[in-house]
PDB file of all heavy atoms in Angstrom:
ATOM      1  N   LYS A   1     -17.661   0.199  17.735  1.00 96.00           N
ATOM      2  CA  LYS A   1     -19.148   0.328  17.447  1.00 96.00           C
ATOM      3  C   LYS A   1     -19.971  -0.635  18.376  1.00 96.00           C
ATOM      4  O   LYS A   1     -21.164  -0.278  18.727  1.00 96.00           O
ATOM      5  CB  LYS A   1     -19.429  -0.179  15.923  1.00 96.00           C
ATOM      6  CG  LYS A   1     -18.887   0.795  14.987  1.00 96.00           C
ATOM      7  CD  LYS A   1     -19.410   2.222  15.278  1.00 96.00           C
ATOM      8  CE  LYS A   1     -18.712   3.244  14.477  1.00 96.00           C
ATOM      9  NZ  LYS A   1     -18.835   4.615  15.042  1.00 96.00           N
ATOM     10  N   LYS A   2     -19.362  -1.817  18.781  1.00 95.00           N
ATOM     11  CA  LYS A   2     -20.213  -2.731  19.616  1.00 95.00           C
ATOM     12  C   LYS A   2     -20.215  -2.213  21.085  1.00 95.00           C
ATOM     13  O   LYS A   2     -21.191  -2.347  21.731  1.00 95.00           O
ATOM     14  CB  LYS A   2     -19.511  -4.131  19.546  1.00 95.00           C
ATOM     15  CG  LYS A   2     -20.157  -5.177  20.402  1.00 95.00           C
ATOM     16  CD  LYS A   2     -19.588  -6.485  20.142  1.00 95.00           C
ATOM     17  CE  LYS A   2     -20.271  -7.583  21.109  1.00 95.00           C
ATOM     18  NZ  LYS A   2     -19.609  -8.819  21.061  1.00 95.00           N
ATOM     19  N   ASN A   3     -19.085  -1.664  21.595  1.00 94.00           N
ATOM     20  CA  ASN A   3     -18.890  -1.413  22.998  1.00 94.00           C
ATOM     21  C   ASN A   3     -18.832   0.013  23.309  1.00 94.00           C
ATOM     22  O   ASN A   3     -18.829   0.358  24.589  1.00 94.00           O
ATOM     23  CB  ASN A   3     -17.585  -2.105  23.596  1.00 94.00           C
ATOM     24  CG  ASN A   3     -17.656  -3.669  23.204  1.00 94.00           C
ATOM     25  OD1 ASN A   3     -18.539  -4.366  23.789  1.00 94.00           O
ATOM     26  ND2 ASN A   3     -16.717  -4.148  22.491  1.00 94.00           N
ATOM     27  N   GLY A   4     -18.613   0.875  22.311  1.00 95.00           N
ATOM     28  CA  GLY A   4     -18.454   2.305  22.617  1.00 95.00           C
ATOM     29  C   GLY A   4     -16.935   2.559  23.197  1.00 95.00           C
ATOM     30  O   GLY A   4     -16.178   1.585  23.209  1.00 95.00           O
ATOM     31  N   SER A   5     -16.642   3.740  23.531  1.00 95.00           N
ATOM     32  CA  SER A   5     -15.245   4.032  23.988  1.00 95.00           C
ATOM     33  C   SER A   5     -15.040   3.403  25.344  1.00 95.00           C
ATOM     34  O   SER A   5     -15.877   3.284  26.205  1.00 95.00           O
ATOM     35  CB  SER A   5     -15.080   5.617  24.215  1.00 95.00           C
ATOM     36  OG  SER A   5     -15.074   6.198  22.951  1.00 95.00           O
ATOM     37  N   GLY A   6     -13.772   3.032  25.470  1.00 95.00           N
ATOM     38  CA  GLY A   6     -13.431   2.303  26.836  1.00 95.00           C
ATOM     39  C   GLY A   6     -12.284   1.315  26.716  1.00 95.00           C
ATOM     40  O   GLY A   6     -11.564   1.224  25.637  1.00 95.00           O
ATOM     41  N   TYR A   7     -12.172   0.636  27.813  1.00 95.00           N
ATOM     42  CA  TYR A   7     -11.010  -0.414  27.855  1.00 95.00           C
ATOM     43  C   TYR A   7     -11.020  -1.347  26.734  1.00 95.00           C
ATOM     44  O   TYR A   7     -12.049  -1.808  26.366  1.00 95.00           O
ATOM     45  CB  TYR A   7     -11.155  -1.118  29.201  1.00 95.00           C
ATOM     46  CG  TYR A   7     -10.182  -2.210  29.298  1.00 95.00           C
ATOM     47  CD1 TYR A   7      -8.848  -2.053  29.688  1.00 95.00           C
ATOM     48  CD2 TYR A   7     -10.586  -3.587  29.107  1.00 95.00           C
ATOM     49  CE1 TYR A   7      -7.896  -3.036  29.741  1.00 95.00           C
ATOM     50  CE2 TYR A   7      -9.710  -4.619  29.213  1.00 95.00           C
ATOM     51  CZ  TYR A   7      -8.330  -4.420  29.435  1.00 95.00           C
ATOM     52  OH  TYR A   7      -7.460  -5.517  29.561  1.00 95.00           O
ATOM     53  N   HIS A   8      -9.756  -1.634  26.227  1.00 96.00           N
ATOM     54  CA  HIS A   8      -9.609  -2.625  25.107  1.00 96.00           C
ATOM     55  C   HIS A   8      -8.645  -3.671  25.455  1.00 96.00           C
ATOM     56  O   HIS A   8      -9.005  -4.836  25.247  1.00 96.00           O
ATOM     57  CB  HIS A   8      -9.216  -1.892  23.788  1.00 96.00           C
ATOM     58  CG  HIS A   8      -9.182  -2.793  22.658  1.00 96.00           C
ATOM     59  ND1 HIS A   8      -7.914  -3.130  22.222  1.00 96.00           N
ATOM     60  CD2 HIS A   8     -10.043  -3.370  21.906  1.00 96.00           C
ATOM     61  CE1 HIS A   8      -8.003  -3.951  21.279  1.00 96.00           C
ATOM     62  NE2 HIS A   8      -9.301  -4.089  20.911  1.00 96.00           N
ATOM     63  N   HIS A   9      -7.472  -3.323  25.890  1.00 97.00           N
ATOM     64  CA  HIS A   9      -6.540  -4.356  26.139  1.00 97.00           C
ATOM     65  C   HIS A   9      -5.477  -3.901  27.185  1.00 97.00           C
ATOM     66  O   HIS A   9      -5.329  -2.832  27.521  1.00 97.00           O
ATOM     67  CB  HIS A   9      -5.771  -4.719  24.871  1.00 97.00           C
ATOM     68  CG  HIS A   9      -4.891  -3.525  24.348  1.00 97.00           C
ATOM     69  ND1 HIS A   9      -5.268  -2.601  23.482  1.00 97.00           N
ATOM     70  CD2 HIS A   9      -3.533  -3.250  24.454  1.00 97.00           C
ATOM     71  CE1 HIS A   9      -4.250  -1.794  23.229  1.00 97.00           C
ATOM     72  NE2 HIS A   9      -3.246  -2.228  23.865  1.00 97.00           N
ATOM     73  N   LEU A  10      -4.701  -4.982  27.717  1.00 97.00           N
ATOM     74  CA  LEU A  10      -3.661  -4.841  28.484  1.00 97.00           C
ATOM     75  C   LEU A  10      -2.416  -5.268  27.716  1.00 97.00           C
ATOM     76  O   LEU A  10      -2.428  -6.315  27.085  1.00 97.00           O
ATOM     77  CB  LEU A  10      -3.865  -5.771  29.752  1.00 97.00           C
ATOM     78  CG  LEU A  10      -2.876  -5.518  30.925  1.00 97.00           C
ATOM     79  CD1 LEU A  10      -2.858  -4.052  31.436  1.00 97.00           C
ATOM     80  CD2 LEU A  10      -3.231  -6.549  31.995  1.00 97.00           C
ATOM     81  N   CYS A  11      -1.298  -4.520  27.856  1.00 97.00           N
ATOM     82  CA  CYS A  11      -0.046  -4.796  27.113  1.00 97.00           C
ATOM     83  C   CYS A  11       0.980  -5.040  28.049  1.00 97.00           C
ATOM     84  O   CYS A  11       1.317  -4.281  29.049  1.00 97.00           O
ATOM     85  CB  CYS A  11       0.335  -3.615  26.253  1.00 97.00           C
ATOM     86  SG  CYS A  11       1.937  -3.910  25.301  1.00 97.00           S
ATOM     87  N   TYR A  12       1.684  -6.345  27.866  1.00 97.00           N
ATOM     88  CA  TYR A  12       2.856  -6.719  28.635  1.00 97.00           C
ATOM     89  C   TYR A  12       4.048  -6.580  27.841  1.00 97.00           C
ATOM     90  O   TYR A  12       4.058  -6.803  26.613  1.00 97.00           O
ATOM     91  CB  TYR A  12       2.668  -8.140  29.059  1.00 97.00           C
ATOM     92  CG  TYR A  12       1.597  -8.457  30.040  1.00 97.00           C
ATOM     93  CD1 TYR A  12       0.364  -8.962  29.639  1.00 97.00           C
ATOM     94  CD2 TYR A  12       1.784  -8.157  31.394  1.00 97.00           C
ATOM     95  CE1 TYR A  12      -0.709  -9.170  30.553  1.00 97.00           C
ATOM     96  CE2 TYR A  12       0.772  -8.421  32.318  1.00 97.00           C
ATOM     97  CZ  TYR A  12      -0.437  -8.946  31.839  1.00 97.00           C
ATOM     98  OH  TYR A  12      -1.491  -9.101  32.774  1.00 97.00           O
ATOM     99  N   GLU A  13       5.199  -6.173  28.450  1.00 96.00           N
ATOM    100  CA  GLU A  13       6.378  -6.046  27.757  1.00 96.00           C
ATOM    101  C   GLU A  13       7.166  -7.422  28.024  1.00 96.00           C
ATOM    102  O   GLU A  13       7.211  -7.907  29.108  1.00 96.00           O
ATOM    103  CB  GLU A  13       7.278  -4.965  28.351  1.00 96.00           C
ATOM    104  CG  GLU A  13       8.520  -4.568  27.674  1.00 96.00           C
ATOM    105  CD  GLU A  13       9.127  -3.361  28.239  1.00 96.00           C
ATOM    106  OE1 GLU A  13       8.415  -2.425  28.568  1.00 96.00           O
ATOM    107  OE2 GLU A  13      10.450  -3.351  28.206  1.00 96.00           O
ATOM    108  N   VAL A  14       7.674  -8.005  26.889  1.00 97.00           N
ATOM    109  CA  VAL A  14       8.429  -9.252  26.977  1.00 97.00           C
ATOM    110  C   VAL A  14       9.749  -9.101  26.264  1.00 97.00           C
ATOM    111  O   VAL A  14       9.980  -8.158  25.559  1.00 97.00           O
ATOM    112  CB  VAL A  14       7.544 -10.358  26.307  1.00 97.00           C
ATOM    113  CG1 VAL A  14       6.292 -10.645  27.138  1.00 97.00           C
ATOM    114  CG2 VAL A  14       7.295 -10.159  24.912  1.00 97.00           C
ATOM    115  N   ASP A  15      10.721 -10.125  26.579  1.00 95.00           N
ATOM    116  CA  ASP A  15      11.954 -10.073  26.027  1.00 95.00           C
ATOM    117  C   ASP A  15      12.108 -10.516  24.579  1.00 95.00           C
ATOM    118  O   ASP A  15      13.060 -10.210  23.865  1.00 95.00           O
ATOM    119  CB  ASP A  15      12.977 -10.859  26.930  1.00 95.00           C
ATOM    120  CG  ASP A  15      13.131 -10.133  28.267  1.00 95.00           C
ATOM    121  OD1 ASP A  15      13.042  -8.959  28.312  1.00 95.00           O
ATOM    122  OD2 ASP A  15      13.306 -10.993  29.262  1.00 95.00           O
ATOM    123  N   SER A  16      11.178 -11.371  24.154  1.00 95.00           N
ATOM    124  CA  SER A  16      11.319 -11.907  22.795  1.00 95.00           C
ATOM    125  C   SER A  16       9.949 -12.421  22.336  1.00 95.00           C
ATOM    126  O   SER A  16       9.089 -12.668  23.093  1.00 95.00           O
ATOM    127  CB  SER A  16      12.309 -13.153  22.760  1.00 95.00           C
ATOM    128  OG  SER A  16      11.805 -14.164  23.545  1.00 95.00           O
ATOM    129  N   VAL A  17       9.949 -12.681  21.042  1.00 95.00           N
ATOM    130  CA  VAL A  17       8.720 -13.295  20.434  1.00 95.00           C
ATOM    131  C   VAL A  17       8.510 -14.655  20.989  1.00 95.00           C
ATOM    132  O   VAL A  17       7.375 -15.066  21.330  1.00 95.00           O
ATOM    133  CB  VAL A  17       8.775 -13.335  18.956  1.00 95.00           C
ATOM    134  CG1 VAL A  17       7.718 -14.224  18.206  1.00 95.00           C
ATOM    135  CG2 VAL A  17       8.781 -11.954  18.219  1.00 95.00           C
ATOM    136  N   ASP A  18       9.655 -15.387  21.203  1.00 95.00           N
ATOM    137  CA  ASP A  18       9.565 -16.772  21.809  1.00 95.00           C
ATOM    138  C   ASP A  18       8.918 -16.687  23.104  1.00 95.00           C
ATOM    139  O   ASP A  18       8.075 -17.575  23.527  1.00 95.00           O
ATOM    140  CB  ASP A  18      10.863 -17.372  21.801  1.00 95.00           C
ATOM    141  CG  ASP A  18      11.376 -17.823  20.545  1.00 95.00           C
ATOM    142  OD1 ASP A  18      10.560 -17.930  19.576  1.00 95.00           O
ATOM    143  OD2 ASP A  18      12.603 -18.129  20.321  1.00 95.00           O
ATOM    144  N   SER A  19       9.304 -15.684  24.043  1.00 95.00           N
ATOM    145  CA  SER A  19       8.736 -15.443  25.327  1.00 95.00           C
ATOM    146  C   SER A  19       7.221 -15.273  25.199  1.00 95.00           C
ATOM    147  O   SER A  19       6.493 -15.859  25.995  1.00 95.00           O
ATOM    148  CB  SER A  19       9.338 -14.349  26.089  1.00 95.00           C
ATOM    149  OG  SER A  19      10.709 -14.554  26.383  1.00 95.00           O
ATOM    150  N   ALA A  20       6.694 -14.384  24.345  1.00 96.00           N
ATOM    151  CA  ALA A  20       5.401 -14.171  24.147  1.00 96.00           C
ATOM    152  C   ALA A  20       4.608 -15.474  23.796  1.00 96.00           C
ATOM    153  O   ALA A  20       3.577 -15.761  24.233  1.00 96.00           O
ATOM    154  CB  ALA A  20       5.186 -13.079  23.117  1.00 96.00           C
ATOM    155  N   MET A  21       5.228 -16.202  22.837  1.00 96.00           N
ATOM    156  CA  MET A  21       4.552 -17.397  22.379  1.00 96.00           C
ATOM    157  C   MET A  21       4.506 -18.442  23.429  1.00 96.00           C
ATOM    158  O   MET A  21       3.444 -19.157  23.540  1.00 96.00           O
ATOM    159  CB  MET A  21       5.367 -17.965  21.141  1.00 96.00           C
ATOM    160  CG  MET A  21       5.138 -17.127  19.831  1.00 96.00           C
ATOM    161  SD  MET A  21       3.484 -16.741  19.425  1.00 96.00           S
ATOM    162  CE  MET A  21       2.924 -18.493  18.971  1.00 96.00           C
ATOM    163  N   GLN A  22       5.531 -18.502  24.288  1.00 97.00           N
ATOM    164  CA  GLN A  22       5.432 -19.444  25.446  1.00 97.00           C
ATOM    165  C   GLN A  22       4.292 -19.065  26.460  1.00 97.00           C
ATOM    166  O   GLN A  22       3.553 -19.923  26.917  1.00 97.00           O
ATOM    167  CB  GLN A  22       6.716 -19.413  26.150  1.00 97.00           C
ATOM    168  CG  GLN A  22       6.785 -20.476  27.241  1.00 97.00           C
ATOM    169  CD  GLN A  22       6.498 -21.893  26.920  1.00 97.00           C
ATOM    170  OE1 GLN A  22       6.859 -22.369  25.723  1.00 97.00           O
ATOM    171  NE2 GLN A  22       5.769 -22.589  27.634  1.00 97.00           N
ATOM    172  N   ILE A  23       4.280 -17.761  26.750  1.00 96.00           N
ATOM    173  CA  ILE A  23       3.108 -17.313  27.617  1.00 96.00           C
ATOM    174  C   ILE A  23       1.816 -17.572  26.984  1.00 96.00           C
ATOM    175  O   ILE A  23       0.847 -18.057  27.634  1.00 96.00           O
ATOM    176  CB  ILE A  23       3.301 -15.674  27.930  1.00 96.00           C
ATOM    177  CG1 ILE A  23       4.564 -15.491  28.704  1.00 96.00           C
ATOM    178  CG2 ILE A  23       2.115 -15.155  28.672  1.00 96.00           C
ATOM    179  CD1 ILE A  23       5.042 -14.048  28.663  1.00 96.00           C
ATOM    180  N   ILE A  24       1.606 -17.318  25.713  1.00 97.00           N
ATOM    181  CA  ILE A  24       0.374 -17.551  25.027  1.00 97.00           C
ATOM    182  C   ILE A  24       0.036 -19.009  25.193  1.00 97.00           C
ATOM    183  O   ILE A  24      -1.093 -19.485  25.524  1.00 97.00           O
ATOM    184  CB  ILE A  24       0.448 -17.097  23.545  1.00 97.00           C
ATOM    185  CG1 ILE A  24       0.409 -15.577  23.437  1.00 97.00           C
ATOM    186  CG2 ILE A  24      -0.654 -17.638  22.664  1.00 97.00           C
ATOM    187  CD1 ILE A  24       0.840 -14.998  22.162  1.00 97.00           C
ATOM    188  N   LYS A  25       0.951 -19.871  24.913  1.00 97.00           N
ATOM    189  CA  LYS A  25       0.740 -21.314  24.814  1.00 97.00           C
ATOM    190  C   LYS A  25       0.424 -21.834  26.338  1.00 97.00           C
ATOM    191  O   LYS A  25      -0.482 -22.580  26.486  1.00 97.00           O
ATOM    192  CB  LYS A  25       2.014 -22.148  24.368  1.00 97.00           C
ATOM    193  CG  LYS A  25       1.884 -23.614  24.287  1.00 97.00           C
ATOM    194  CD  LYS A  25       3.058 -24.238  23.774  1.00 97.00           C
ATOM    195  CE  LYS A  25       2.953 -25.801  23.715  1.00 97.00           C
ATOM    196  NZ  LYS A  25       4.159 -26.426  23.257  1.00 97.00           N
ATOM    197  N   SER A  26       1.172 -21.392  27.244  1.00 96.00           N
ATOM    198  CA  SER A  26       1.056 -21.954  28.639  1.00 96.00           C
ATOM    199  C   SER A  26      -0.184 -21.420  29.257  1.00 96.00           C
ATOM    200  O   SER A  26      -0.661 -22.113  30.242  1.00 96.00           O
ATOM    201  CB  SER A  26       2.311 -21.577  29.495  1.00 96.00           C
ATOM    202  OG  SER A  26       2.432 -20.224  29.611  1.00 96.00           O
ATOM    203  N   ASN A  27      -0.776 -20.367  28.818  1.00 96.00           N
ATOM    204  CA  ASN A  27      -1.895 -19.864  29.430  1.00 96.00           C
ATOM    205  C   ASN A  27      -3.178 -20.118  28.491  1.00 96.00           C
ATOM    206  O   ASN A  27      -4.306 -19.570  28.659  1.00 96.00           O
ATOM    207  CB  ASN A  27      -1.877 -18.356  29.536  1.00 96.00           C
ATOM    208  CG  ASN A  27      -0.932 -17.965  30.845  1.00 96.00           C
ATOM    209  OD1 ASN A  27      -1.411 -18.143  31.921  1.00 96.00           O
ATOM    210  ND2 ASN A  27       0.256 -17.722  30.525  1.00 96.00           N
ATOM    211  N   LYS A  28      -2.982 -20.929  27.484  1.00 96.00           N
ATOM    212  CA  LYS A  28      -3.936 -21.363  26.658  1.00 96.00           C
ATOM    213  C   LYS A  28      -4.699 -20.325  25.974  1.00 96.00           C
ATOM    214  O   LYS A  28      -5.985 -20.356  25.768  1.00 96.00           O
ATOM    215  CB  LYS A  28      -4.898 -22.387  27.296  1.00 96.00           C
ATOM    216  CG  LYS A  28      -4.312 -23.617  27.688  1.00 96.00           C
ATOM    217  CD  LYS A  28      -5.152 -24.649  28.507  1.00 96.00           C
ATOM    218  CE  LYS A  28      -4.368 -25.872  28.782  1.00 96.00           C
ATOM    219  NZ  LYS A  28      -4.750 -26.475  29.993  1.00 96.00           N
ATOM    220  N   MET A  29      -3.910 -19.239  25.590  1.00 97.00           N
ATOM    221  CA  MET A  29      -4.513 -18.131  24.801  1.00 97.00           C
ATOM    222  C   MET A  29      -4.602 -18.502  23.321  1.00 97.00           C
ATOM    223  O   MET A  29      -3.896 -19.456  22.855  1.00 97.00           O
ATOM    224  CB  MET A  29      -3.612 -16.817  25.010  1.00 97.00           C
ATOM    225  CG  MET A  29      -3.612 -16.381  26.442  1.00 97.00           C
ATOM    226  SD  MET A  29      -2.457 -14.987  26.464  1.00 97.00           S
ATOM    227  CE  MET A  29      -2.366 -14.664  28.187  1.00 97.00           C
ATOM    228  N   ILE A  30      -5.277 -17.677  22.541  1.00 97.00           N
ATOM    229  CA  ILE A  30      -5.347 -17.783  21.107  1.00 97.00           C
ATOM    230  C   ILE A  30      -4.701 -16.561  20.507  1.00 97.00           C
ATOM    231  O   ILE A  30      -5.110 -15.486  20.604  1.00 97.00           O
ATOM    232  CB  ILE A  30      -6.827 -17.899  20.622  1.00 97.00           C
ATOM    233  CG1 ILE A  30      -7.526 -19.101  21.253  1.00 97.00           C
ATOM    234  CG2 ILE A  30      -6.801 -17.976  19.160  1.00 97.00           C
ATOM    235  CD1 ILE A  30      -8.971 -19.203  21.144  1.00 97.00           C
ATOM    236  N   LYS A  31      -3.575 -16.846  19.812  1.00 96.00           N
ATOM    237  CA  LYS A  31      -2.942 -15.749  19.022  1.00 96.00           C
ATOM    238  C   LYS A  31      -3.728 -15.388  17.851  1.00 96.00           C
ATOM    239  O   LYS A  31      -4.100 -16.222  17.121  1.00 96.00           O
ATOM    240  CB  LYS A  31      -1.464 -16.211  18.658  1.00 96.00           C
ATOM    241  CG  LYS A  31      -0.741 -15.080  17.977  1.00 96.00           C
ATOM    242  CD  LYS A  31       0.687 -15.483  17.565  1.00 96.00           C
ATOM    243  CE  LYS A  31       0.759 -16.232  16.338  1.00 96.00           C
ATOM    244  NZ  LYS A  31       1.049 -15.598  15.171  1.00 96.00           N
ATOM    245  N   VAL A  32      -3.932 -13.999  17.815  1.00 94.00           N
ATOM    246  CA  VAL A  32      -4.832 -13.507  16.709  1.00 94.00           C
ATOM    247  C   VAL A  32      -4.078 -12.686  15.752  1.00 94.00           C
ATOM    248  O   VAL A  32      -4.512 -12.472  14.559  1.00 94.00           O
ATOM    249  CB  VAL A  32      -6.079 -12.801  17.216  1.00 94.00           C
ATOM    250  CG1 VAL A  32      -6.973 -13.743  18.003  1.00 94.00           C
ATOM    251  CG2 VAL A  32      -5.654 -11.578  18.202  1.00 94.00           C
ATOM    252  N   LEU A  33      -2.905 -12.101  16.136  1.00 91.00           N
ATOM    253  CA  LEU A  33      -2.074 -11.278  15.194  1.00 91.00           C
ATOM    254  C   LEU A  33      -0.684 -11.172  15.644  1.00 91.00           C
ATOM    255  O   LEU A  33      -0.479 -11.069  16.832  1.00 91.00           O
ATOM    256  CB  LEU A  33      -2.773  -9.839  15.194  1.00 91.00           C
ATOM    257  CG  LEU A  33      -2.043  -8.834  14.218  1.00 91.00           C
ATOM    258  CD1 LEU A  33      -2.293  -9.233  12.766  1.00 91.00           C
ATOM    259  CD2 LEU A  33      -2.668  -7.344  14.451  1.00 91.00           C
ATOM    260  N   GLY A  34       0.265 -11.119  14.670  1.00 89.00           N
ATOM    261  CA  GLY A  34       1.599 -10.911  15.038  1.00 89.00           C
ATOM    262  C   GLY A  34       2.528 -12.053  14.899  1.00 89.00           C
ATOM    263  O   GLY A  34       2.044 -13.140  14.653  1.00 89.00           O
ATOM    264  N   PRO A  35       3.799 -11.731  14.949  1.00 94.00           N
ATOM    265  CA  PRO A  35       4.298 -10.400  15.276  1.00 94.00           C
ATOM    266  C   PRO A  35       4.224  -9.527  14.013  1.00 94.00           C
ATOM    267  O   PRO A  35       4.495  -9.906  12.972  1.00 94.00           O
ATOM    268  CB  PRO A  35       5.812 -10.784  15.587  1.00 94.00           C
ATOM    269  CG  PRO A  35       6.057 -12.077  14.996  1.00 94.00           C
ATOM    270  CD  PRO A  35       4.777 -12.761  14.872  1.00 94.00           C
ATOM    271  N   VAL A  36       3.922  -8.296  14.402  1.00 91.00           N
ATOM    272  CA  VAL A  36       3.887  -7.104  13.414  1.00 91.00           C
ATOM    273  C   VAL A  36       4.543  -5.907  14.052  1.00 91.00           C
ATOM    274  O   VAL A  36       4.590  -5.773  15.249  1.00 91.00           O
ATOM    275  CB  VAL A  36       2.403  -6.809  12.961  1.00 91.00           C
ATOM    276  CG1 VAL A  36       1.691  -7.964  12.255  1.00 91.00           C
ATOM    277  CG2 VAL A  36       1.591  -6.343  14.199  1.00 91.00           C
ATOM    278  N   PRO A  37       5.166  -5.061  13.175  1.00 92.00           N
ATOM    279  CA  PRO A  37       5.762  -3.917  13.633  1.00 92.00           C
ATOM    280  C   PRO A  37       4.732  -2.852  14.299  1.00 92.00           C
ATOM    281  O   PRO A  37       3.716  -2.606  13.609  1.00 92.00           O
ATOM    282  CB  PRO A  37       6.499  -3.279  12.547  1.00 92.00           C
ATOM    283  CG  PRO A  37       5.881  -3.916  11.315  1.00 92.00           C
ATOM    284  CD  PRO A  37       5.200  -5.114  11.721  1.00 92.00           C
TER     285      PRO A  37
END
């Protein structure tokens, strides 16, 4: 509704939840959801 149709996200494949959490932490990202199926 705010932006209309278009780009939303980039998805990376990782080996584990721990790997994802390490990337999030080391890049000072904010986790907003997950892990979820």
